[in-house]
Amino acid sequence: MYRVNAVKLAVDEKADERPRGVNEVARTVIVRSAPLPRRTFRAFVELEGMYRNMVEQLVLYAVNNNVTKFTRLKAEKYREVRSLYPQLPSHYAYTACQDAAERAHSFLRLKRMGRARKPYPEVRSVSIWLDDHLWRAEGLTSISMTTHKGRLRVSIELSKHFLRYVNRGWRLASEARVKLDHKERKLTLYLTFKKEVSEYRPKSYITVDVNENAEAVLIDGVVYLFETNLSKVTLGYYYRRKRIQEKYDRAYGPGSRPARRVFRRLSNNEKALKREIRWKLATLIVRQAARRQAAIVLEKLGKEPASHMIERIKNLQLRHRIFQAAFKGVQRAIDEKAREYGVPVIYVDPRNTSRVCPIHGAEIIYGKDRHGVCSRGGETWHRDVVACYNLLLRALGGDGGSAPSRLRALIPVDGGPVPLGPTAAHEPTLIARGAWARWRSLGATSDHKLMRVSA
Ligand SMILES: [Zn+2]
């Protein structure tokens, strides 16, 4: 076991005079309605048809005239689409302009990158955008919507997820979207909850070093290595795609429709798996930080590479960039989760964080298995442990980097008493994905588990 046993790194709280930010956090929650009576549902189907028609016309106009801004689209087309359906509340023409502007914007962007397959965007699935004039919540169990048939009331199925936001002080925002489920005669509502969260002043730090297959996290002087296998997932899917491509190309010729379908499914699976890994781990780390009123320290990464780079993975450099992209995803998840909990996040310069001994400042000579020896002290280090400690030192303002203003360690680390026991094995505690992935569902017991691992 590996922990700080000589000196506790402490922070002079008064030295940190950064203004503490207040963030607005928004989350979309999906709620379903009870099955609607035929007549009511028919009214919604009519509404959907009119809305779709407005959006289609607006998108066509926007793409032809290179309009990507809602304000311009509204100025040029609102009157016209408004007059198409005088029986419809006017705000539908307004939200249709917002909807269309966003569609045109993302289509034109794809087109610029040469990735648009069709000359015009298809308005395939429609969700009707609502604003505060078009709907309101009636208590917790129903909503009402203004339509061409007057105000229609719809009761919604309460879900645990929905109630959790209500109970935790989130407020329901006025913007919402609604989609029709024609098969079950239900509405699917996309509601937005918002909350203002202010950052606390950190009492300590949790540093996170992300690498290809694990995230190393320094908590209370212990480095945990949470296995993610992100590169294995990425490469695994890459080789599967390649195998399938060869098979389909032989059978149907290159770029066939069935091949594209299989590819789409595979890449959806890959995305979903990665997203789950990222969010679970982000939640775990952020909760630990919030409990300790700690700030999270992350490496400042460079610009994000395009995701289609993945197709040419052979090149080593590209491979590196792809994994950088994956790291960015991990960081984004932590950042977003942190905002929700008011956890401050600090980005520091990542240069050489795993090359220099955090005690002696001398270079570490690495052999295999991510292990190295300090060229001055001769002690053995695990690469991720080194990185975590150096990130901490940088956050404390120990060396250069882009450390926050005037944070400093009360007790000097380099030179003086060492934070790490010289005889300790500088080894992180590895926690397999199968183990930590279950923690969230166990909720309150996660901390207990973390204690047990470190014991
Ligand atoms: Zn050393």
Side-chain angles (χ1 to χ4, degrees):
M1 185 74 292
Y2 161 69
R3 49 168 73 242
V4 177
N5 52 8
V7 192
K8 221 175 157 174
L9 289 168
V11 181
D12 178 0
E13 279 188 44
K14 285 186 202 106
D16 181 11
E17 283 164 6
R18 279 187 313 153
R20 304 255 77 94
V22 179
N23 293 312
E24 187 180 65
V25 191
R27 290 280 182 278
T28 303
V29 175
I30 298 172
V31 186
R32 290 168 60 75
S33 77
L36 301 182
R38 269 174 210 287
R39 183 197 290 255
T40 314
F41 194 73
R42 204 177 310 130
F44 281 112
V45 173
E46 289 163 10
L47 172 65
E48 187 192 40
M50 291 185 272
Y51 181 86
R52 173 196 293 274
N53 194 17
M54 287 193 290
V55 172
E56 276 172 347
Q57 296 200 16
L58 287 164
V59 167
L60 205 63
Y61 176 84
V63 168
N64 277 335
N65 295 281
N66 215 8
V67 179
T68 56
K69 291 264 190 314
F70 157 67
T71 41
R72 193 179 144 202
L73 187 59
K74 190 187 148 239
E76 291 172 17
K77 288 292 276 185
Y78 173 80
R79 232 168 243 286
E80 192 184 323
V81 287
R82 171 77 193 98
S83 63
L84 276 178
Y85 304 109
Q87 71 275 36
L88 211 59
S90 64
H91 272 256
Y92 283 108
Y94 186 90
T95 57
C97 285
Q98 292 179 309
D99 188 342
E102 196 155 295
R103 285 172 191 259
H105 178 76
S106 56
F107 177 79
L108 287 170
R109 213 189 50 164
L110 278 182
K111 202 173 165 190
R112 261 202 312 281
M113 298 193 305
R115 294 177 65 197
R117 210 175 281 156
K118 302 195 174 86
Y120 291 103
E122 234 178 289
V123 181
R124 221 178 307 164
S125 73
V126 172
S127 58
I128 304 167
W129 290 27
L130 305 173
D131 65 9
D132 52 343
H133 294 262
L134 297 176
W135 80 290
R136 64 169 180 248
E138 316 243 327
L140 281 180
T141 52
S142 64
I143 63 143
S144 69
M145 264 175 73
T146 312
T147 70
H148 58 297
K149 295 275 159 113
R151 199 166 262 282
L152 297 177
R153 202 180 166 126
V154 174
S155 49
I156 55 174
E157 291 170 351
L158 279 185
S159 69
K160 243 193 211 162
H161 197 52
F162 176 76
L163 286 174
R164 198 153 47 213
Y165 281 90
V166 174
N167 290 330
R168 288 186 185 165
W170 294 67
R171 69 190 152 74
L172 201 49
S174 60
E175 65 260 31
R177 286 180 295 128
V178 61
K179 213 170 183 167
L180 271 59
D181 180 344
H182 291 260
K183 215 187 271 170
E184 302 202 30
R185 271 200 340 258
K186 288 178 174 182
L187 301 184
T188 307
L189 291 144
Y190 298 81
L191 306 176
T192 305
F193 279 96
K194 287 187 175 167
K195 193 167 138 179
E196 267 85 38
V197 185
S198 46
E199 270 182 18
Y200 53 72
R201 190 186 284 277
K203 293 193 171 76
S204 61
Y205 293 90
I206 285 179
T207 65
V208 182
D209 175 62
V210 185
N211 69 47
E212 288 183 12
N213 282 312
E215 282 177 50
V217 184
L218 172 61
I219 307 175
D220 294 343
V222 181
V223 174
Y224 298 94
L225 205 54
F226 292 98
E227 184 186 61
T228 58
N229 284 340
L230 275 177
S231 84
K232 277 185 199 152
V233 172
T234 303
L235 288 177
Y237 273 100
Y238 170 74
Y239 288 119
R240 257 164 85 188
R241 261 199 300 275
K242 213 172 141 185
R243 266 201 315 277
I244 287 166
Q245 180 157 30
E246 280 160 11
K247 204 177 93 190
Y248 276 81
D249 282 0
R250 270 200 306 276
Y252 301 99
S256 65
R257 190 181 282 264
R260 283 214 306 268
R261 204 164 37 229
V262 177
F263 281 175
R264 200 174 315 139
R265 206 195 58 223
L266 274 181
S267 82
N268 284 344
N269 291 351
E270 180 183 3
K271 271 187 212 143
L273 177 57
K274 284 182 174 171
R275 195 180 308 132
E276 188 187 307
I277 293 171
R278 281 199 300 267
W279 278 104
K280 279 197 169 161
L281 197 44
T283 307
L284 194 82
I285 292 167
V286 168
R287 285 194 179 154
Q288 295 296 333
R291 281 192 72 228
R292 292 162 174 81
Q293 298 277 291
I296 294 177
V297 181
L298 298 173
E299 290 179 299
K300 192 189 283 165
L301 296 175
K303 267 217 151 129
E304 190 166 7
S307 59
H308 63 269
M309 292 285 187
I310 206 153
E311 300 306 336
R312 281 167 279 160
I313 205 160
K314 265 173 240 154
N315 184 314
L316 261 181
Q317 178 107 37
L318 282 180
R319 247 183 83 137
H320 171 73
R321 291 176 66 182
I322 289 155
F323 293 129
Q324 287 290 107
F327 301 165
K328 266 241 155 120
V330 169
Q331 294 203 340
R332 251 201 311 273
I334 293 176
D335 203 281
E336 208 177 320
K337 206 72 207 167
R339 244 178 290 156
E340 184 180 330
Y341 283 77
V343 174
V345 176
I346 296 165
Y347 288 91
V348 299
D349 185 353
R351 258 173 304 170
N352 297 333
T353 38
S354 51
R355 260 191 49 203
V356 177
C357 170
I359 301 173
H360 302 100
E363 194 176 343
I364 294 173
I365 315 293
Y366 284 99
K368 51 177 185 174
D369 296 342
R370 304 182 77 79
H371 282 87
V373 176
C374 171
S375 60
R376 185 164 334 147
E379 73 279 11
T380 308
W381 288 95
H382 187 285
R383 196 182 190 101
D384 299 335
V385 172
V386 174
C388 275
Y389 268 99
N390 282 327
L391 288 176
L392 178 63
L393 292 178
R394 272 179 208 186
L396 292 170
D399 80 343
S402 48
S405 65
R406 276 179 281 172
L407 276 178
R408 61 192 160 86
L410 287 176
I411 301 151
V413 178
D414 32 353
V418 294
L420 314 165
T423 53
H426 297 171
E427 270 303 315
T429 304
L430 182 70
I431 303 167
R433 193 168 88 208
W436 64 257
R438 283 193 302 269
W439 287 359
R440 190 152 92 140
S441 56
L442 296 173
T445 57
S446 68
D447 292 319
H448 165 74
K449 287 226 168 171
L450 207 53
M451 303 310 266
R452 214 173 59 196
V453 170
S454 68

